[in-house]
Amino acid sequence: MKRTRPVAAALVGVALLVVVGCAPDGSKADDEEKGPSPLPSHAFHPLTGADIPQLETETTSDQDAHIHVAIPQIGTEDRVNAALAGFGEQQIDGYREALDGGDAAHAFLSVTWSAIGSSATMLGLLLTGETSPGASTALSQRTVWYDAEQKQVLSLRDLVTADGLDTVEEQVVSELEDHVIGADIEGAREIVREGDPAFGFDEEGRLLVGFDAYEVAPGSEGATLIAIDAEPDALLTSAGAEARKATLSPETLEFATPPAPTPRDVDCEVKKCVALTFDDGPSAATTPRLLDILAEEDVRATFFVVGSQVQARPDLVAREVVDGHEVGSHSWSHPDLTVLSDDALRSEVSDTHQAIVDATGVEPRLFRPPYGAHNDAVDAVLREAGYAEAIWSVDTLDWQHHDPVKTAAAASQAKPGAIVLMHDIHAATIDAVPDAIRSLRDQGYEFVTVSEMVAPVEAGQVYFGTY
Ligand code: NI
C-alpha cells in the first residue's frame, strides 16, 4: 500500500462524468426506430476549490493483474475509512473472481474517486470502479456521504424525507419504464427502499440516484443515474439540505467534536464496580480496535493518554470521549516526574492538559504519573493544576508478558472498587480485553470510569481504587 497524490490535485484532476445510455457493443442499432429514447445523461457535480484536510489517497496496485485502485482515506475517521476501503476490496474481489485465475492481458480494474460535496460538517465522495474482465466494461459507483460531526456514514434514507423517498421511488420507476427495455423495476424499488444506491446532486442541485451497470438495467445501459425533479424543501431532510449545500456552495470541512455523553450516576457503594484503565496511547495501530470492542460490549473505560501521542492523533482521543470514556493525563513524554526540575514538571502537566482540551473540548481531572512515581513535589504541582491522581490496584503486567491469557486472568482477579492497569499500545492487550470483560461481567461487575468510581473527584487526592 502506498500513499500518493495530494488532495488538491485529486479534487481538480478527477472530474468524473458518467455517460449513461450508451451501447458499447452497438447492439441497439436495430431497435432504434421503435425503441424508447435513451435515459437522459446526468453527472454528479464535481467539487472544485474546497480543501478537505486530512484527505489522502491510498493506492493499491497489482501490475500483473492490471489492478489500480485509488481510495480516499481521512485521518483517523475510522467509520468513513472502512466504508471507503470496503468499496475497493469489493471491487478487487469481484474482479479477481471474474478473472478466475485467467490471463489479465485484456482485462483491468480501475477505481478512482472524486469529491462531490464538502461543508463544515459533511463530506460527499464518489468512488467509481471500472472493470473490464473481457470485451465489455462495467461501471460501479458508490457514493459515501459522511457526517463528520456525528461520525456517521449516511444513507439515501438519511438525506430524503419519508415522502421524499416515495417521490424518488416513483420517479426512478417511471424513468426506467420510459427509457429502459427490460429494467428490473422491483429491484430498483428495493434498492431505493433498503439498498445502497449512489446519490448526490447535479450542478443544478437536483438529487441524483444511481445504479450500477447490470443492477437494474441491461449491461448495455451502463451505470444509470436518474435525476429527481422535486422542490428540495419537499424532498430533503436537514442532512439532505446540508449535503446539497455542500455540493453547490462547498466549504472547508472541519472535524468538529460532538459533545461528550454525560457522566452516569453509578452507586459503587451498592454495585460491584471495576474501572478498566488503558495507558500510554493513543496508538493508531491498536486503539481503534480497542474502541470497537468497548463499543460493542458497551463498556466505558478510562484512558491515560500521553500528550505527544494526543498531538499526533487528536481524532482518536476525541473518539474516546465521544464513545463515553474518560480521558486522563499521563504526562507529555512519559518521564519519571520525580526526577524533573519544577519547570519541566509543570510543562509536562500543562502541555498535556492543553492537548487534551484541544482534541476533546473536555478538561481532564485525573492524572496518572508514569510508573506510578510521585512525590511531594509532583503531588503539589498536580493539586495546584486541579488534578487528582489515579494509580491502580490491579497491575496486569500486560506490557511485560504480552500474553492475552495472563492479562485477562489478572484483570478478572479484580475486587469490587478495583482500578485495573492495562496499556492500549500493545496488540496482545487488546486481544485480552474481550475475555477480561466476559469474565468480569459473569462475576456481576459494572464497568465504570475512574471518576464514576471515586465520585466526586477531589483535586489533590491520590486514588488506588475504593477498597
Ligand atoms: Ni505509562
Side-chain angles (χ1 to χ4, degrees), residues 279-280 304 306 330 334 368-372 421 423:
D279 286 13
D280 297 359
F304 290 99
V306 174
H330 195 41
H334 208 280
R368 175 170 284 167
Y371 316 106
L421 170 63
H423 297 80

Side-chain angles (χ1 to χ4, degrees), residues 392 394-401 403 406-412 420-423 429:
W392 55 84
V394 173
D395 187 350
T396 61
L397 297 175
D398 59 333
W399 59 274
Q400 203 174 57
H401 51 64
D403 181 341
K406 286 184 182 169
T407 300
S412 47
V420 179
L421 170 63
M422 290 181 272
H423 297 80
T429 299

